Amino acid sequence: MESGLAYAGAAQPNHLLSPSRNLMRLLSPASFRDRREFPSSSFLKLQNQLPFKSSLQTTFSTHREAAVLSDPSETFELADINWDDLGFGHVATDYMYVSKCPKGGNFSGGELVRFGNIELSPSSGVLNYGQGLFEGLKAYRKQDGSILLFRPEENALRMWMGADRMCMESPSIEQFVEAIKLTVLANKRWVPPAGKGSLYIRPLLLGSGAVLGLAPAPEYTFLIFVSPVGNYFKEGLAPIHLIVENEFHRATPGGTGGVKTIGNYAAVLKAQSAAKAKGYSDVLYLDSVHNRYLEEVSSCNVFVVKDSVISTPAIKGTILPGITRKSIIDVALSQGFKVEERLVSVEELLDADEVFCTGTAVVVSPVGSITYLDKRVSYGDRKVGAVSQQLYTALTSLQVGLSEDKMGWTVELK
């Protein structure tokens, strides 16, 4: 181990053991009616049944860097980068988290190692058969310097559900969340100052074991790395311009469109690249059966607003259950909006008063125009719509600690 940072003890602590197979069945996608987005109440019920209750205990060596990281009350210096010029690109940070698991076993306690390249067999399941998942979430620095996470348990649960679909082992809910906390604190000098961006957190679950015939990999690696980021779209909170894709499709019924598997994203690159070459920000996909109903943008969920009613495509297996999507729905309902989750046709899109996208990377991104079959429709004189602005302000204020978290969604790191 390079960093001198590790969990206490080499053996798997009892509180990190993966849940029983009964809990695996509880968390399988089939356990949620219509395979819809997992509700927060399901996670709360799950917490009461988990066999592990105690917090993950960690220890740091006497290495100077480790000593600084082990006590958040100690002073530290921010990384020496231009915080005013952050885009959404990768910046190498200090540490990453790694844990391994044999097929049918439990993930190891895990360790922090210096950020760097990883070694994989040319015959690994992820390289040969795409057996891999990823997640995305953010850490924000508050005005007082403390750090907030936003709904990490939802990412943990979504990875677990995705692993069930992809025949992979997955870390327990508690290990996922505690590993996120550990990784962020180890890289806290890379969390941008308040108002300057966020620390993007990328958990990966990889079929790292060697396999030649088509089969689940014999070993899995759970890895987390982080990077400071600014806005996903260079426009920031400004209208983006989308083109509706009429030839390629992102997902099909019965496929993997509803889980965050790595293969879902390579499939959108061709259409996205062509769209960007023509000056569009991104691509909006239609369903593969009728080629009429909205699904999602390359990496975002989509919402349409008509007469103060907010509508978004229902989660039915081909659309990713976005955590920001789910949060925006709850925020909108709490502010008195009517929200409908249903089939939304492209005709409704073109007749909407306002359109916006949601996602971890973009948060809320207003849409200034949609182009469909060479017809271009603009919204709100290409200004940020009132509904988009209201929901963006409400959610981001909560995420960065500027408003009271009545939802119980944020986790403060200490």
Side-chain angles (χ1 to χ4, degrees):
M1 184 179 63
E2 298 175 12
S3 66
L5 297 171
Y7 289 104
Q12 168 85 339
N14 290 334
H15 56 275
L16 286 182
L17 294 179
S18 294
S20 66
R21 292 296 169 184
N22 286 334
L23 283 174
M24 289 289 283
R25 286 194 293 272
L26 173 66
L27 284 171
S28 69
S31 69
F32 295 91
R33 183 164 54 89
D34 298 331
R35 291 178 179 263
R36 292 185 182 181
E37 196 169 6
F38 43 86
S40 297
S41 59
S42 297
F43 177 73
L44 293 175
K45 291 176 183 177
L46 169 66
Q47 278 188 311
N48 295 328
Q49 301 178 51
L50 293 177
F52 37 79
K53 293 290 185 181
S54 58
S55 299
L56 180 63
Q57 299 300 312
T58 59
T59 186
F60 295 94
S61 75
T62 55
H63 190 279
R64 181 180 179 277
E65 295 161 289
V68 171
L69 292 171
S70 66
D71 185 355
S73 66
E74 292 185 30
T75 60
F76 69 98
E77 292 185 3
L78 288 172
D80 185 19
I81 61 175
N82 184 354
W83 299 108
D84 293 314
D85 195 32
L86 280 178
F88 200 89
H90 179 249
V91 176
T93 53
D94 296 326
Y95 296 101
M96 60 185 186
Y97 173 95
V98 180
S99 176
K100 293 185 179 292
C101 172
K103 187 175 183 297
N106 301 305
F107 274 86
S108 65
E111 63 180 7
L112 288 169
V113 299
R114 283 288 188 180
F115 176 84
N117 295 339
I118 62 173
E119 184 175 292
L120 283 173
S121 166
S123 190
S124 64
V126 65
L127 294 181
N128 289 264
Y129 300 117
Q131 199 183 21
L133 296 164
F134 74 93
E135 279 295 326
L137 62 158
K138 289 177 176 178
Y140 301 87
R141 192 178 298 280
K142 295 172 62 177
Q143 294 287 351
D144 64 5
S146 60
I147 298 171
L148 291 179
L149 299 176
F150 184 71
R151 310 191 77 176
E153 75 284 348
E154 296 284 350
N155 295 90
L157 186 51
R158 188 169 64 179
M159 175 172 277
W160 202 341
M161 293 175 65
D164 179 82
R165 176 64 177 85
M166 300 295 289
C167 296
M168 304 173 73
E169 306 300 334
S170 181
S172 69
I173 303 295
E174 185 172 83
Q175 180 172 6
F176 182 103
V177 173
E178 295 297 340
I180 293 293
K181 294 178 181 178
L182 185 65
T183 308
V184 171
L185 286 175
N187 293 285
K188 67 180 180 180
R189 72 191 189 97
W190 296 95
V191 181
K196 299 292 186 180
S198 58
L199 186 72
Y200 190 84
I201 306 162
R202 175 54 58 83
L204 296 169
L205 187 61
L206 309 174
S208 51
V211 59
L212 189 58
L214 179 58
E219 179 195 71
Y220 297 91
T221 297
F222 175 47
L223 186 150
I224 304 170
F225 70 92
V226 298
S227 176
V229 296
N231 293 318
Y232 183 79
F233 291 118
K234 66 178 184 294
E235 296 92 339
L237 186 65
I240 61 172
H241 304 282
L242 303 178
I243 184 169
V244 178
E245 176 56 45
N246 201 46
E247 179 181 355
F248 297 106
H249 294 283
R250 177 190 164 275
T252 58
T256 59
V259 298
K260 208 167 176 64
T261 179
I262 60 176
N264 290 349
Y265 295 85
V268 308
L269 295 177
K270 186 175 182 66
Q272 186 190 61
S273 298
K276 289 187 175 183
K278 295 177 182 178
Y280 297 103
S281 307
D282 214 326
V283 175
L284 175 58
Y285 291 89
L286 300 178
D287 75 289
S288 61
V289 177
H290 304 95
N291 207 37
R292 181 189 176 195
Y293 297 103
L294 309 187
E295 294 236 312
E296 61 180 91
V297 181
S298 300
S299 59
C300 316
N301 295 114
V302 64
F303 290 75
V304 301
V305 182
K306 182 67 176 179
D307 298 329
S308 298
V309 177
I310 302 172
S311 301
T312 190
I315 301 296
K316 290 187 178 293
T318 56
I319 298 172
L320 187 74
I323 295 163
T324 307
R325 171 191 182 275
K326 181 177 181 178
S327 304
I328 281 292
I329 290 173
D330 288 344
V331 168
L333 290 171
S334 73
Q335 296 193 351
F337 287 100
K338 180 180 179 181
V339 182
E340 298 177 344
E341 297 181 72
R342 57 177 177 82
L343 291 175
V344 181
S345 70
V346 69
E347 291 84 4
E348 290 180 82
L349 171 75
L350 300 178
D351 189 47
D353 299 329
E354 192 174 334
V355 179
F356 61 89
C357 301
T358 65
T360 297
V362 303
V363 188
V364 173
S365 189
V367 175
S369 71
I370 293 282
T371 299
Y372 175 60
L373 298 178
D374 297 324
K375 178 182 180 181
R376 186 172 182 135
V377 175
S378 297
Y379 306 97
D381 197 26
R382 300 193 181 186
K383 297 178 182 178
V384 178
V387 175
S388 302
Q389 182 69 66
Q390 182 175 334
L391 296 179
Y392 172 83
T393 300
L395 185 62
T396 55
S397 295
L398 189 156
Q399 289 176 325
V400 302
L402 292 178
S403 63
E404 182 184 356
D405 179 13
K406 297 180 181 179
M407 304 288 195
W409 287 345
T410 57
V411 178
E412 185 167 351
L413 301 187
K414 300 185 182 296

